[in-house]
Amino acid sequence: MAKHHFHLNANWPGGRNEVGKIHSGQLKTQISIPPEMDGPGIGTNPDEMLLGAAATCYIITLAAMLERSGIVQAALTMNSEAVVDVTKGVFTYEKIIHRPQVVLNSKDMEKKSLVQRLMEKAETSCMISRAIQGNVKIELEGTIEEKEA
């Protein structure tokens, strides 16, 4: 059994509307509260980082599953959306919606149903999805298209 350790250093200079810095491996950025939550909106924020973690984990997992299944996609793109509810001053990260788009060559369109199953399986196999399961709902709105000639 292997265990991997990831470390992050954070520096926060003061109060709520300050701008901090984080550093973790290749990730080096400023952080602050987003403007939607009355913050300065400099750098990134926890909401974007959680969405980014979920989205990148999902798309990498899907790409690996497609590869293992012998499917070579012509393109693999995705848009993801996070919904955060604010009720009586309490912020709740309600859900993430992934919208992957897989473009297949015409010879691989016969595998469309397999690709659909893999899109669904990738969500339950992703480490980040499993980590937030039960706390944040994850929805999938995937599309599979044929590459235009």
Side-chain angles (χ1 to χ4, degrees):
M1 178 171 71
K3 292 190 183 215
H4 304 281
H5 296 259
F6 299 92
H7 301 275
L8 182 136
N9 290 338
N11 181 346
W12 192 261
R16 179 191 189 279
N17 285 326
E18 296 292 331
V19 178
K21 294 179 183 177
I22 59 171
H23 174 248
S24 177
Q26 297 299 311
L27 175 64
K28 295 176 187 178
T29 190
Q30 292 181 303
I31 55 170
S32 71
I33 295 172
E36 297 89 348
M37 297 176 182
D38 299 321
I42 297 172
T44 191
N45 58 70
D47 309 283
E48 290 175 343
M49 289 192 296
L50 181 57
L51 179 61
T56 55
C57 184
Y58 174 82
I59 201 165
I60 290 169
T61 301
L62 178 57
M65 290 178 156
L66 291 169
E67 182 179 284
R68 281 193 300 267
S69 297
I71 298 168
V72 179
Q73 72 271 7
L76 174 57
T77 59
M78 186 170 72
N79 290 303
S80 292
E81 174 184 356
V83 177
V84 176
D85 176 68
V86 183
T87 301
K88 296 181 182 178
V90 177
F91 294 82
T92 303
Y93 211 110
E94 279 190 346
K95 69 179 171 179
I96 293 172
I97 307 163
H98 292 312
R99 296 181 180 98
Q101 180 183 31
V102 179
V103 179
L104 299 173
N105 294 310
S106 57
K107 67 178 176 68
D108 287 324
M109 284 303 288
E110 65 191 35
K111 298 177 184 173
K112 188 175 179 178
S113 62
L114 173 58
V115 172
Q116 182 64 43
R117 286 193 310 273
L118 292 175
M119 289 170 81
E120 294 164 9
K121 186 176 180 184
E123 187 52 54
T124 59
S125 300
C126 166
M127 174 180 66
I128 301 300
S129 297
R130 290 192 326 265
I132 62 176
Q133 184 178 18
N135 292 306
V136 178
K137 183 178 180 180
I138 299 183
E139 296 178 3
L140 187 62
E141 298 175 3
T143 59
I144 303 166
E145 298 178 9
E146 185 175 353
K147 182 178 177 183
E148 295 180 16

